Structures are given as structure tokens and as C-alpha cells.
Amino acid sequence: MMLGYSRGSVGDVTFSRLKGQQIAKARNRNPNNPKTKTQMMQRSLFVSATKFYQQARAKFFQFAFEDKKYHESDFNAFMRHNVKNGTNMSQEAVQAYNYPALGMWALSKGSLQPFEQTAVGNTFRANTGIVVPQDYDIPTTVGALSATLIQSNRFQPGDMLTMVNYGFTRVGEAPVPALAPLNDDYMTYFTYKQMVINTDSTDALTKYDLGVYVDGTTHVLYITSTGEVYDERYVAVCLIHSRQTANGLLVSDSVLLPSALFDTAVKACADDAYIQQVLNAWGATEEAILSPRSVV
């Protein structure tokens, strides 16, 4: 579904719509010093989260937060959960469309049991918590996997599993993170596939980028990625469980699980020298200090 425009305020940023475009303006709480380091830190985090939201929305992805307040927009709900999960980004990086929004983004939050997500080698695995018999036949179709899933109390017919991939490639020695990236040096992608739990389906699991792994010792069933999605790639992956009910959509909590390269890039954004460069790029100034004459 296409997500709509947002109005109102989140923190020190106010949203409005002008000529069909989403406008975000920073609210000045200190008119004598409008670009303090504190304000610019918040702005550089805010625009990073906004960029990720827009990249996902461009692919018609619908974020789901069960705690979304009445009258709260989808955008504001996303930002409430994610500003703290992003990284500092310069204005030039925001404007470079192909440059990624680095962060450990939360895509959903709700009441369904979340998957325990792990990366084993270069494969993504999501623990279903289901223990299968020792002679269990590994399913290769949606119907076969569905039959196993609905035997537990965790899954029901009609539930949906959504596998999400967010990542980027870079050309040559293009830096990550970057203050002033060039569009031609990066390519960001956001993809997802959704499988409906249906015992009658003969679709191959690979159609939905899904596979199955059973631990040889514990016999626990895992839903996996197909192929080695983490192999020397800047990518983050997650699996979301959702259920449509008469009272609305229920979802599991989900946070993107990064590859080693993606994680390294995110951590590099926390380097003090890089953050200072971002603040300089935003024109941040020192906090206002009272002079002796100001004190009565």
C-alpha cells in the first residue's frame, strides 16, 4: 500500500505539505543560536531515518506498529521508533538518492512472538521454536512448510511471512560512510517478498526467497534465506510475522539484522571524528554560554 503524507511535529521538526511535496522544517528553540551542536546532531539523525522511510515507501512497503497512536501518521510512528536507530548523515548524503540510510532500523512492533534472528555463515536464519521429528522431511513448498507451522500455536492459516532485504553496493573505492557521496558510486536496494501460510499452496519456497533448515541436534526448525545473502555484501535482513484480524493487523517485532560489512559501516558512523565532520557540514556552532555580564 502507498503510504501517505505526514503533518504535525516530531521532536524539533515540523512537517507540512507544499505543492505536493513533503516539507520538514526544524523548529528553532534557541533563536540566538539556531545551529547548536545538539540541534544539528538531532537533525542529522532525523534526516537519516527520514531517508530510509522514503526508500522503503518508494517500494510500497507498509510499516506496522501496533502502538501507533490515534491520529498519529505512519511516518510519525516510524520516526518515534527509529530516530535513535539511525546514524548521523550530512545534508549532501541525504540528497544523494542512491546513497544508503545506515542504521539498525525497526520495521514493525507488535504483539506476535518475534523471531530470534541469527546469521550463520552467510545465511540468515529465523528460529520458529518448532521441534520436528528426527525423520522429518525438509519442506520445499509453501504447503508443506505451512502444514508444519500451523501445528504449533504460534502460526495460523492466512498468516503472512515477510522477508525483507535492505542493502547497497558501491563502485570501486567509494567510501562508507561518506559526507559528500556521488550517486554513481552507490546503488541502494529495498526488497521484500511475502508468503501466505496456506497448506494448499504448491509454490516453491524459493519463490519467496525462503528455505528451511533443521538443527541436527535440537531438531528445531529455522526459516532461512535462500543462498548466502550475507556473502561480502552490505545488507541487512529480517523476517516479519503478521496476521490480519477483525481488530486490525498484528505483527511481530522486527529489526534488520546486518551483515558484517553493513554492521562495520554503521559502527563507523559512530566514530567521533566522523560525527564532528557531519556537524561541521551542517554548520553547527558551539552551545550558547552565559557571559559574566549576563549573571545578576
Side-chain angles (χ1 to χ4, degrees):
M1 291 181 286
M2 176 68 79
L3 302 181
Y5 288 91
S6 304
R7 290 185 174 87
S9 298
V10 176
D12 286 338
V13 179
T14 300
F15 297 90
S16 61
R17 189 177 177 185
L18 178 64
K19 296 182 180 179
Q21 299 295 316
Q22 178 80 61
I23 304 297
K25 295 181 180 179
R27 182 165 49 190
N28 184 2
R29 294 186 181 274
N30 186 354
N32 294 322
N33 193 12
K35 287 190 174 183
T36 65
K37 287 186 176 181
T38 299
Q39 289 170 318
M40 293 302 101
M41 278 284 288
Q42 181 68 13
R43 180 178 295 181
S44 67
L45 288 172
F46 193 93
V47 296
S48 176
T50 300
K51 181 168 188 173
F52 177 80
Y53 177 89
Q54 292 172 338
Q55 288 174 336
R57 187 178 68 171
K59 299 297 183 181
F60 301 97
F61 182 78
Q62 177 72 56
F63 294 95
F65 300 99
E66 286 184 34
D67 65 350
K68 180 173 170 286
K69 298 176 176 63
Y70 188 68
H71 290 316
E72 186 179 32
S73 69
D74 292 315
F75 176 78
N76 284 2
F78 171 82
M79 297 301 284
R80 176 163 54 83
H81 284 286
N82 278 287
V83 169
K84 65 182 182 301
N85 295 332
T87 57
N88 299 95
M89 181 178 285
S90 71
Q91 194 167 11
E92 286 184 79
V94 173
Q95 293 171 345
Y97 181 80
N98 289 334
Y99 186 72
L102 296 168
M104 301 305 188
W105 307 113
L107 306 189
S108 60
K109 186 173 182 60
S111 56
L112 297 182
Q113 182 180 341
F115 290 104
E116 178 187 348
Q117 302 181 152
T118 55
V120 181
N122 290 317
T123 302
F124 169 88
R125 290 183 186 175
N127 188 337
T128 67
I130 299 173
V131 178
V132 298
Q134 190 168 359
D135 58 351
Y136 180 74
D137 289 330
I138 303 296
T140 59
T141 67
V142 171
L145 174 60
S146 297
T148 298
L149 294 178
I150 63 176
Q151 288 178 5
S152 72
N153 294 326
R154 183 174 178 180
F155 303 95
Q156 298 178 9
D159 286 1
M160 183 175 290
L161 301 178
T162 303
M163 178 74 83
V164 180
N165 286 257
Y166 177 71
F168 65 97
T169 57
R170 62 194 187 103
V171 176
E173 299 301 317
V176 180
L179 287 174
L182 300 176
N183 255 331
D184 292 343
D185 288 340
Y186 305 87
M187 182 55 66
T188 297
Y189 59 88
F190 184 101
T191 64
Y192 64 97
K193 290 189 178 181
Q194 299 177 309
M195 184 204 93
V196 176
I197 295 178
N198 175 12
T199 56
D200 294 328
S201 175
T202 59
D203 285 347
L205 289 173
T206 53
K207 177 180 178 180
Y208 303 95
D209 293 340
L210 298 176
V212 172
Y213 168 81
V214 175
D215 185 275
T217 302
T218 64
H219 305 296
V220 171
L221 185 146
Y222 293 81
I223 296 174
T224 73
S225 59
T226 53
E228 298 184 327
V229 295
Y230 288 133
D231 183 27
E232 297 182 1
R233 292 183 175 92
Y234 291 92
V235 63
V237 184
C238 75
L239 185 66
I240 306 170
H241 176 202
S242 60
R243 176 181 302 150
Q244 190 66 54
T245 72
N247 296 320
L249 183 68
L250 304 181
V251 294
S252 60
D253 292 359
S254 68
V255 176
L256 289 170
L257 183 71
S259 65
L261 281 176
F262 194 98
D263 186 54
T264 298
V266 170
K267 288 178 178 176
C269 293
D271 180 77
D272 289 341
Y274 174 74
I275 291 176
Q276 186 58 57
Q277 289 178 319
V278 172
L279 292 176
N280 293 342
W282 281 98
T285 60
E286 295 293 338
E287 304 290 344
I289 300 175
L290 290 176
S291 67
R293 294 182 180 180
S294 306
V295 180
V296 178

